[in-house]
Each structure stands twice: as structure tokens, then as C-alpha cells.
Amino acid sequence: MSAPKSFYVTTPIYYVNDKPHIGHAYTTLACDVLARFKRLDGFDVKFLTGTDEHGQKVEKSAEAAGISPKALADANSANFRELAARLNCSNDDFIRTTEARHRASCTALWNKLVETGAIYLGHYEGWYSVRDEAFWGEDELITNADGAKIAPTGAPVEWVREPSYFFRLSAWGERLLAWYEANPDCVGPASRRNEVMSFVKGGLQDLSVSRTSFSWGIPVPGDEAHVMYVWLDALTNYITAAGYPDTEGEFAARWPADLHMVGKDIVRFHAVYWPAFLMAAGLEPPKRVFAHGWWTNEGQKISKSTGNVIDPLGLIDTYGLDPVRYFLLREVPFGNDGDFSHRSMINRINNDLANEYGNLAQRVLAQIAKNCGGAVPKVGELTAEDREMLDGAHGLVSKLRPLIDRQLFHEVLEALWGQVRAANIYIDRQAPWGLKKTDPERMGTVLWVLAESIRGIALMTQPFMPDSSARLLDLLAVPDEQRSFAFTGSHYSLKAGTPLPAPSGVFPRFVEADVNAG
Ligand code: ME8
């Protein structure tokens, strides 16, 4: 057997000056679903998340809080680690940019860029936004209602002038364009790819990659009055965690990363600067960068100043973890912006989960318990309709793989619910409850076809709803070691006579009074 293929997926690393919000939970969850899917599909997965701890923004927040930047980072990094755990994320690593391994990696990358002539010392004058940790061109600025110049993101900007090291980004335009052309999938969705390409076609200026006006960062080797630009530092986390500067061993198997998942606001850093840094250092750019959209809250832009930030832990407490995981990836076509509302959350729980999926399982398992002695029924001759149901369930994995590889989570779930609905139609048409007296053998076959279909569906819902799917598979007595996608086919079908545990509901309805009671 050949060695399993590597799949390396990353979240952005999150700024420690802020508390985790729905945006963080969303990116991390999407990566978790991919990581779980790929693991179940036989890949050797590395799933990385972590925290971005340097930079002026963190230094200023710490100053305001009257603590050291490291103390702020320690406290807030722990919140992000806890978020990942509470989301039941299966990350294999959690990186902090204040770790020694990361400092070594950034230092090595910097030295490499100096050695290849990609970094030179100059002088910087320009508009800097601390909130975005980015310089903006004069032509990119807009004027706000008070007549002040602000960044296109709405962040305040200040004029700065200081000595600075520069990365020769202007030299990489043609090579970046050639990379996008040769790798049509390297940036997704297509709208973001177009945006990135037109930015590069507009001409690239050299990028300031060091600062002297504050000190909370990784020192520039040999010139410690400078700290590295926080984005150069932050982006490097992806190679640090793969083992850089050791480019043999794990790195050789892991790099280039298969996917950097990011929000739409940070595509430029990942799809322009990062590939240029890597190519300049003689390393391969990532295989794909995918940018998701942004959530609004009940139709309103989410912002700290209006106080409508959505706390993901609060959502989990109110609705339960798996329903939240399902909702976030089902409600909005991945890549688009979307709106969060309690109404749509409750609708998804009660319709998709309780009425459609949960009820299907409950009906089938209760009838088996009652009418088949609590064991997997015997299967008789199969009709065309039976075969169609079974083929649909057994064929799910090959249908879903190409969708997962394009991060079309909502389409994956739509395809799964197509199968759930087909099973609900089938049970109504076959009406096994009416066959108990007239044709018990046929009743057994119908219930077996349904139970086997649920097995097929539950195997595939594992990446999205790991706990609930595990409970369903327990109710079907599917052995733990037969839950990977290698077992989706008919060869591993449920065996007649296998005793089943007493059925219990897996997807409860959400009773509305609960919202106010909490
Ligand atoms: O950008 N809906 O960190 P960050 C969906 N440290 N996503 C949202 C959102 C919303 N309303 N608001 C924010 C950074 N996000 C850098 C990354 S990587 C080398 C360095 C997303 O803590 C946003 O798009 O600001 C981004 O991906 C993440 O949450 C916020 O990250």
C-alpha cells in the first residue's frame, strides 16, 4: 500500500487583541470539516490554527489595559485555544507567533530573503493603519463624513516616516500573474481570483517589511532597532508549523500547504504577498487560498462599537454545538456574505435536523426496535426502488469529494439532504408499518434498506456534526473501526441479526421559549 497523501490545511492566525467572535469560529469550523473529511477519506491530515501575537495593534491594546504585550497575548491566545476545543475542532497543532520555533523560522526566512537580494534597506513615508496593520496608498484612501482621510476598510490612518527594510514586491508582478494563470485553482472563489489579478495587474510597489516605531515583534537579524512587519511574521507561521527552517523531514511532505482558508479581507496578504515572499525564498507557494464571506447579524454589519458582536460560545450554549456547526456551513453558500438570525437558526434546527434527518432515523430505529426484535432485520429480494435508495447512499462519497475540494460545503449538505429527503419519501411510499401483518419479510427488507441508507448518510455527516453522527452510528451498531469512508460501500452493509441499542432521539426540536429563558 502506498503512504497516505498529505493534506495540510490552515486557518488564519487570530489577533490576540480581540475576543473570539463568529468570524473566527466560522473559519476554524470550515477547516475542521475539511480536515475531518480528508482524514476519514484516508489522507494524512495536518490542521493548523493559532494566534498572531505581535504588532503595534497588540502593543497598543496591552498599553491601554496596563499589562505587558506578552501577558495580553497569553490570556487571549488561551481564549482562541478554548474556542477551538469548544467547537470540537480536530486541529493537530496550535501555533503562537511568540514561540521560539516561530522566531527561528522568521529569522531564517528573513536571512534567506536578504541573501537572495529580495530585501533592502530604505526609507518609508506613508499612510499606516494600525487596525489593519497595513500601509495604504494615497489613491486608496477615502474621506469620511468629518473630512478625515481613512483607509478603504474604514480604519483610521496616520502618516509615518521611518527607516524601513523593503521587500522587492515590484519585481514579482509578472511571476505572480504567471502563477495565477498556470494554476486556475490557486485562489478561490473566482471573484476573489479576479480581484487579486487586477490588483497585481495594476502594478506592485515594494513593501515595507520592518518598523522602528515600536518594539513588540521579532527583531530584524543584525539590525535590532527594527522589528519585522507583523504580516511577514504572521504569514510565516504556515511554514514554521511545517518544520521550517528544516526543509527536509516533515516539511518535504507538508509543503506546499493544500489550503489556506481566509476571510475575504485578507486575501491580498495570502494570495499576493505570501506567494511572492515564498517564491523569493525559493519555496513553493500554497496550492490554494480560499476566501469566505462575512456574516452580518440580523441584517446589521457586525461591529464592536454597535455591540452586536456574536459570541460563538453563547450560540453553542443556546443551540448546541452540532446544530451551530451545521447552520454556519449550511445557511450561506460558502464564499458569499451571509446573515445570521435566530429565526433562520431555529428553522434549520427544526426543519433540516429534527424533522428531516432526526425524524427519519427515529422512525426507522423505533420500528426496528418494535417490529424486528431490536436487531438489524433480514434483507430479502431487492426491488428497483430499494436499489436506487441504496445506490444513492453508497455513492455519496464520490459525489461529495469534488464539492469538498472546492469548499462547497453548502452543496455537500444539500446533496446529503437530497438523500435524507429521498429516504423520507421512500418510507412513506413503502409504509413498512402496514406490512407487519401482511408481509413481514418485505417489512424487514424496507427497514434494512432505510437503516443502511442512514448508515451511508451518517458516515458522511461525521465531518459536519461529529457527535450527533457518532450517536447515530452507535444506534446502528456500526463498529468504531468501520466509520471511515473506506467503509461506505455495500460490502460493509449492516449485518442482519446484529443487536441494536434502544433508540433515542439525536436531533431534538428547539423549543422557542428556551431563547428567553436563558
Ligand atoms: O486577520 N464574518 O486576524 P483576525 C466572517 N491576524 N468572518 C469574519 C468576520 C465576520 N463578520 N469578521 C472577521 C487577522 N472575520 C490576521 C491574520 S494570517 C497569517 C493573519 C474573519 O483576528 C476575517 O475575515 O482579524 C479573518 O479571516 C478573521 O475573521 C479575523 O482574523
Side-chain angles (χ1 to χ4, degrees), residues 12-15 21-24 26-27 52 231 234-235 237-238 262-266 270 292-295 302:
I13 48 171
Y14 303 119
Y15 284 130
H21 56 61
I22 194 171
H24 303 116
Y26 188 46
T27 324
D52 186 355
W231 272 101
L235 289 161
N237 93 86
Y238 302 130
V262 297
K264 64 178 182 179
D265 54 322
I266 54 174
H270 285 82
H292 64 67
W294 273 37
W295 288 91
I302 296 176

Side-chain angles (χ1 to χ4, degrees), residues 59-91:
E59 193 177 86
K60 283 195 168 173
S61 297
E63 220 173 83
I67 52 174
S68 71
K70 182 63 169 46
L72 181 88
D74 286 346
N76 285 346
S77 178
N79 292 337
F80 284 98
R81 205 186 281 266
E82 188 202 336
L83 175 72
R86 289 284 301 277
L87 290 168
N88 194 8
C89 279
S90 60
N91 52 299

